[in-house]
Amino acid sequence: MRHRLKDVAERAGVSVKTVSNVVNGYAHVRPDTRARVEEAIAALNYRPNLSARNLRKGRTGIIALAVPELDIPYFAELARHVVTAAADLGWTVLIDQTGGGREQERVVASGITDHLIDGLIFSPLALTADDLINLDGTPMVLLGERVAHGPADHVVIDNVAAAREITNHLVGLGRRRIAAIGSQRTPEGASARLRLDGYRSALEEAGFGYDEALVAPAPVWHRADGAAAMRNLLSSGVRPDAVFCFNDTLALGALRALHETGLRVPEDVAVAGFDGIEDGRFSVPTLTTIAPDKERIARLAVELLANRIDGDRNAAPRELAAPYRLEPRESTRGRQP
Amino acid sequence: MRHRLKDVAERAGVSVKTVSNVVNGYAHVRPDTRARVEEAIAALNYRPNLSARNLRKGRTGIIALAVPELDIPYFAELARHVVTAAADLGWTVLIDQTGGGREQERVVASGITDHLIDGLIFSPLALTADDLINLDGTPMVLLGERVAHGPADHVVIDNVAAAREITNHLVGLGRRRIAAIGSQRTPEGASARLRLDGYRSALEEAGFGYDEALVAPAPVWHRADGAAAMRNLLSSGVRPDAVFCFNDTLALGALRALHETGLRVPEDVAVAGFDGIEDGRFSVPTLTTIAPDKERIARLAVELLANRIDGDRNAAPRELAAPYRLEPRESTRGRQP
DNA sequence: CCTGGTTTCTACAACGTTGTAGGCAACGTT
DNA sequence: AACGTTGCCTACAACGTTGTAGAAACCAGG
């Protein structure tokens, strides 16, 4: 059923290697030989066996993208861009769901690299730098929060500055009791910590001081957690006039909870998110957010990985920053149209 | 740097094959030999070369999942379940974005199967049965709308019945001018056609008749298209008191457009969707929908594929139906709490 | 017609793994 | 003591591809 170089070679009356040369576009093949071989390839519907090619060449042409969860819109959108950017360089992307636990991530970081993969783009939640020291040399690019000066390339956005900017935006609207949703005390919460830092420093700059009671934790960042955290805030008696949610899904949950409580957004409470997911353009009200340039992030990551794979594997780790934009929408408007 | 069976064998003082036997859990290895080998494996941090193993065994342990777009929540959620179901059987999933065009899908159906993949789970939009006849034998399972009795296994849900059920639900609420959003005339629109059929037959059963003016097309099914279609409907002068959107993202867009027009949901217009995506639980208002059992779909697909891979490849194609549930939420409630 | 260089093609080995066949002990049975 | 059986291990070949080295055919210039 499945044909090999040998079958094609026999049909075309040439050696196996000549067929291989034709398949790989080697220049020095006589036109008529090439034509005969191509005819045979077409007739037999020959397709190269990638396992064999990979074994021989030591390359697979596959890179992996590991994200915590695919059905978090931010990661789905990111995945889309990574797949596109990788395709431009002739790579196939194998997408891996880690679930976000430290143990699972460690498995991915060390195990997935089973010679199947030329490189790994990794968006870790829980991983620490220590988990990365023993890698067996598979090139890797980390996304998102930097694993404290770890041994791998990074693409980051400046979380602290971005969080400060969106908090300032709320301050600029005249809001005075600005809550935050999404803080995490666990070691996994690198993003949470950075965003909290930005929030805090903006508040202090504005002279408001930092009020622990206005900060609601959220162990994971799904819609349901945002809704629950919002309800907790409200029932705890604090009366925020704005909320900065550490990601958009939390914010969508918070919007929902506010709606259920009968509070109006933005009139009673302004809401801001983080991630710039597509949902936020269509929610009621539309969601103010920090939108990282996901396409840029994906392209930078793929390029860093390409350099690492083709170039010097022992070069010092590089860290690139991707831009982001504050996108003000209805959820923080002074008045609605 | 990277070690092979041979290195482990030398260190443990055994043959290469014995190491292979230990790695593969072969029973007849003396405990002390096994221990020595395992020590060597650990010391050298040996990992099998999957390309070589695959070449030898003719299996790769990878299956592909091809979906039109990853950032459509339905597909992202589905992907999550497929990855989970496949992991239970020891398979890795390579996720592929086709973009939904016929040509790209044809490439995936024929090309991706380059010996890299043991099987393919494919959720096509544009593909026709003709595109599938020339496959070179890679087992394949189709998801979603059946490709008219094509040559491959299918997992489907009964779109017509589901669409009829949700339309009936709207009828049961006393709605009389029930619009539809998402019709498609292109050959890609298999889902659209089936859902339209169900909608139409429910209307006719109810004695309302089918009014072309109430049916808005949507070439693709993103939020923006739902919003645009809704605006078109409203500005065309028809005054629906309910809308059945052929998927949830369309419905979320429609909700948004209705909100912008100042119409209340569900009081003025009831809105229903299709797909049961997570977003619909948190939108304002929450979205009534048909929720296919995605976990079941994924499991059935993986099992069908497993049978095809391990079993008789020439058996007649099977078609399995997955259940769905009507989930009534605020967007079609008589009155809101 | 020979020489030296280029073009075109081939034979062979190797990538790292596992299936097959078989060898050698150790054991229990006649 | 001779025998078959079992347990444990090894040598070898093969999976399909490509890099290397080199042979054969061709060409141009003397």
Side-chain angles (χ1 to χ4, degrees):
Chain A
M1 202 79 345
R2 221 99 192 223
H3 297 284
R4 305 156 298 158
L5 282 181
K6 193 171 170 225
D7 304 314
V8 179
E10 276 164 13
R11 187 178 219 271
V14 297
S15 79
V16 171
K17 188 63 214 290
T18 298
V19 181
S20 170
N21 286 339
V22 169
V23 170
N24 291 289
Y26 181 65
H28 299 303
V29 179
R30 271 211 325 268
D32 62 315
T33 312
R34 183 182 297 276
R36 259 194 355 272
V37 170
E38 274 164 352
E39 183 278 331
I41 287 175
L44 298 178
N45 189 27
Y46 167 77
R47 311 206 154 266
N49 180 322
L50 295 188
S51 287
R53 178 179 286 174
N54 297 339
L55 171 60
R56 178 62 230 221
K57 309 233 275 194
R59 287 281 177 85
T60 65
I62 301 180
I63 62 174
L65 169 69
V67 295
E69 288 182 70
L70 259 182
D71 52 0
I72 292 184
Y74 177 76
F75 292 117
E77 295 178 13
L78 189 65
R80 171 198 183 80
H81 288 116
V82 168
V83 169
T84 308
D88 289 345
L89 275 72
W91 274 324
T92 303
V93 177
L94 190 148
I95 298 175
D96 216 58
Q97 253 181 166
T98 62
R102 178 154 177 221
E103 200 41 52
Q104 292 158 289
E105 291 190 344
R106 206 185 336 223
V107 167
V108 168
S110 72
I112 263 297
T113 68
D114 289 356
H115 301 263
L116 231 197
I117 276 172
D118 294 340
L120 173 63
I121 297 178
F122 195 173
S123 179
L125 282 189
L127 219 64
T128 69
D130 284 347
D131 294 328
L132 297 178
I133 49 172
N134 249 346
L135 292 179
D136 45 356
T138 305
M140 175 158 102
V141 174
L142 295 175
L143 297 185
E145 282 46 60
R146 75 209 259 173
V147 175
H149 300 292
D153 293 325
H154 285 80
V155 179
V156 298
I157 68 162
D158 188 339
N159 271 280
V160 178
R164 197 180 315 132
E165 183 170 339
I166 200 160
T167 311
N168 277 337
H169 170 70
L170 295 170
V171 170
L173 298 170
R175 308 290 167 154
R176 291 297 170 262
R177 298 187 52 73
I178 303 173
I181 288 181
S183 73
Q184 300 176 327
R185 295 187 169 282
T186 55
E188 289 84 28
S191 311
R193 230 167 304 119
L194 296 172
R195 291 176 194 174
L196 185 64
D197 281 356
Y199 159 82
R200 183 170 188 157
S201 88
L203 290 187
E204 284 167 355
E205 261 170 41
F208 293 175
Y210 171 77
D211 180 359
E212 184 82 50
L214 282 168
V215 177
V220 279
W221 284 0
H222 292 180
R223 292 176 184 82
D225 307 291
M230 190 73 235
R231 278 185 219 111
N232 284 345
L233 268 182
L234 294 174
S235 68
S236 77
V238 305
R239 279 280 150 199
D241 54 11
V243 194
F244 166 34
C245 301
F246 289 174
N247 87 349
D248 282 350
T249 39
L250 285 174
L252 292 171
L255 284 183
R256 176 72 210 165
L258 287 165
H259 173 77
E260 284 169 4
T261 325
L263 289 167
R264 290 164 311 161
V265 177
E267 291 84 346
D268 300 321
V269 182
V271 175
F274 201 111
D275 277 353
I277 67 177
E278 185 68 9
D279 311 38
R281 297 177 185 281
F282 291 89
S283 56
V284 176
T286 53
L287 184 63
T288 294
T289 191
I290 291 282
D293 187 339
K294 301 187 198 75
E295 200 215 317
R296 186 76 165 284
I297 293 176
R299 234 192 29 247
L300 290 175
V302 170
E303 284 167 7
L304 275 182
L305 196 59
N307 284 339
R308 199 49 76 172
I309 291 174
D310 295 326
D312 180 6
R313 300 196 172 208
N314 298 317
R318 296 210 289 158
E319 178 171 318
L320 298 181
Y324 59 88
R325 270 210 330 277
L326 171 65
E327 300 207 335
R329 302 213 188 95
E330 289 168 6
S331 69
T332 62
R333 277 233 233 293
R335 46 183 57 249
Q336 263 178 290
Chain B
M1 208 73 346
R2 221 102 192 220
H3 298 283
R4 304 156 299 158
L5 282 181
K6 194 171 168 227
D7 303 315
V8 179
E10 277 165 12
R11 187 177 220 271
V14 297
S15 79
V16 171
K17 189 63 214 293
T18 298
V19 181
S20 170
N21 286 339
V22 169
V23 170
N24 291 288
Y26 180 65
H28 299 303
V29 179
R30 269 212 325 268
D32 61 314
T33 311
R34 182 182 299 275
R36 258 193 357 271
V37 170
E38 274 164 354
E39 183 280 329
I41 287 175
L44 298 177
N45 189 27
Y46 167 77
R47 313 208 152 262
N49 180 322
L50 295 189
S51 288
R53 177 179 287 175
N54 297 339
L55 171 60
R56 178 63 233 224
K57 308 232 275 192
R59 288 280 178 84
T60 65
I62 302 181
I63 62 174
L65 169 69
V67 295
E69 287 180 70
L70 260 181
D71 52 0
I72 292 184
Y74 176 76
F75 292 117
E77 294 179 14
L78 189 66
R80 172 199 184 78
H81 287 116
V82 169
V83 170
T84 309
D88 288 345
L89 275 73
W91 273 325
T92 303
V93 177
L94 190 148
I95 298 175
D96 217 58
Q97 248 180 170
T98 62
R102 180 157 174 218
E103 201 40 52
Q104 293 158 287
E105 291 190 346
R106 208 185 334 224
V107 168
V108 169
S110 72
I112 264 295
T113 68
D114 290 356
H115 301 262
L116 232 197
I117 277 172
D118 294 340
L120 173 63
I121 297 178
F122 196 174
S123 179
L125 282 189
L127 219 65
T128 68
D130 285 347
D131 295 327
L132 298 178
I133 49 172
N134 250 345
L135 292 180
D136 45 354
T138 305
M140 175 158 101
V141 174
L142 295 175
L143 297 185
E145 281 48 57
R146 76 207 258 170
V147 175
H149 300 292
D153 293 325
H154 286 80
V155 179
V156 299
I157 68 161
D158 188 340
N159 272 278
V160 178
R164 196 180 315 131
E165 183 170 340
I166 200 161
T167 310
N168 277 337
H169 170 70
L170 295 170
V171 170
L173 299 170
R175 308 291 168 154
R176 290 299 170 260
R177 298 187 51 73
I178 302 173
I181 288 181
S183 74
Q184 299 177 328
R185 295 187 170 282
T186 55
E188 288 84 26
S191 310
R193 230 168 302 119
L194 297 173
R195 291 176 194 176
L196 185 64
D197 281 356
Y199 159 81
R200 184 171 188 156
S201 87
L203 290 188
E204 284 166 355
E205 261 169 40
F208 292 174
Y210 171 77
D211 180 359
E212 184 82 50
L214 282 168
V215 177
V220 279
W221 285 359
H222 293 181
R223 292 176 184 83
D225 306 291
M230 191 72 236
R231 280 185 218 112
N232 284 343
L233 269 182
L234 293 174
S235 67
S236 77
V238 303
R239 280 281 149 198
D241 55 11
V243 194
F244 166 34
C245 301
F246 289 174
N247 88 348
D248 283 349
T249 40
L250 285 173
L252 292 171
L255 284 183
R256 176 73 209 162
L258 288 165
H259 173 78
E260 285 170 3
T261 324
L263 289 168
R264 291 165 310 161
V265 178
E267 292 84 346
D268 300 321
V269 182
V271 174
F274 201 111
D275 276 355
I277 67 177
E278 185 67 10
D279 311 38
R281 297 177 185 280
F282 292 89
S283 57
V284 175
T286 53
L287 184 64
T288 294
T289 191
I290 290 283
D293 187 339
K294 301 188 198 74
E295 200 216 317
R296 186 77 166 282
I297 293 176
R299 234 191 29 246
L300 290 175
V302 170
E303 283 168 8
L304 275 181
L305 197 58
N307 284 339
R308 201 45 80 170
I309 291 174
D310 295 326
D312 179 5
R313 300 198 173 206
N314 298 316
R318 296 209 290 157
E319 179 172 317
L320 298 182
Y324 58 88
R325 269 212 330 277
L326 171 66
E327 300 208 335
R329 302 213 188 95
E330 290 168 5
S331 69
T332 62
R333 279 233 232 292
R335 47 183 55 249
Q336 264 179 287

